[in-house]
Amino acid sequence: MAENERELGWDDVIEKESSFTLLPAGEYDFTVKSFERQRHEGSEKIPPCWKAVLDIEISDGEQVATIKQNMYLHSRQEWKLCAFFLAIGLRKHGEPLKMNWPAVTGAHGRCKVGIRTWTGNDGSDRKSNQIEEFLEPVDTSFTPGKF
């Protein structure tokens, strides 16, 4: 349970409304707000393995959305782990990397966000944001005499 979460009493006062925000598809800067180590019990696509569950905050300058992202620690998803660590600046192309999970919280990067559509339990159409791709940082370093 998150630090600010608690059980409510029958007579408690409530006021926090839904904070769900759906951002348009596009490229956004992101910040990793938190991560949790969990166990994936296996599915059709990924066998049992460890997973990092990331809370990734994305903003378009006016609205803020949080996307929950599962990062599976399995060889089938190694490419995605490499892309994530590259996006947050902890990995360089072509170099092996020992994943540094303690450095992930607070890290910044850029990603491509899409919109996922599905049918809810009540039969209604639902939408949410999903990260489609972690993007490589753009080198903005200045070298005198080069244009």
Side-chain angles (χ1 to χ4, degrees):
M1 191 172 345
E3 187 176 306
N4 296 338
E5 291 182 5
R6 65 182 177 81
E7 180 179 14
L8 296 174
W10 292 107
D11 297 320
D12 281 358
V13 175
I14 58 172
E15 61 183 314
K16 185 176 180 181
E17 297 179 28
S18 172
S19 60
F20 175 75
T21 301
L22 184 67
L23 295 175
E27 292 184 8
Y28 294 94
D29 292 331
F30 71 85
T31 302
V32 180
K33 299 309 275 182
S34 66
F35 98 92
E36 184 179 337
R37 297 170 196 257
Q38 291 185 8
R39 186 78 184 154
H40 173 64
E41 298 304 322
S43 66
E44 257 183 48
K45 295 181 181 181
I46 307 277
C49 62
W50 291 108
K51 70 178 177 178
V53 180
L54 308 174
D55 282 328
I56 297 180
E57 187 177 89
I58 297 173
S59 174
D60 66 0
E62 296 177 15
Q63 303 178 87
V64 176
T66 300
I67 297 175
K68 196 164 285 293
Q69 179 72 39
N70 291 324
M71 301 296 290
Y72 298 98
L73 279 67
H74 191 276
S75 58
R76 289 184 187 171
Q77 294 285 296
E78 189 171 349
W79 63 272
K80 192 173 192 177
L81 293 163
C82 284
F84 170 70
F85 280 100
L86 182 68
I88 62 173
L90 293 179
R91 180 180 183 272
K92 294 183 181 182
H93 274 293
E95 294 183 7
L97 172 78
K98 180 178 178 185
M99 295 179 286
N100 184 357
W101 291 104
V104 166
T105 301
H108 302 278
R110 194 150 176 83
C111 65
K112 183 177 177 184
V113 173
I115 297 176
R116 176 179 165 254
T117 304
W118 78 96
T119 304
N121 292 339
D122 61 358
S124 64
D125 289 337
R126 308 276 183 166
K127 293 182 180 182
S128 65
N129 288 122
Q130 67 180 17
I131 294 176
E132 294 180 347
E133 181 180 1
F134 290 104
L135 303 173
E136 183 175 350
V138 177
D139 183 13
T140 57
S141 60
F142 173 75
T143 305
K146 295 212 175 190
F147 297 97

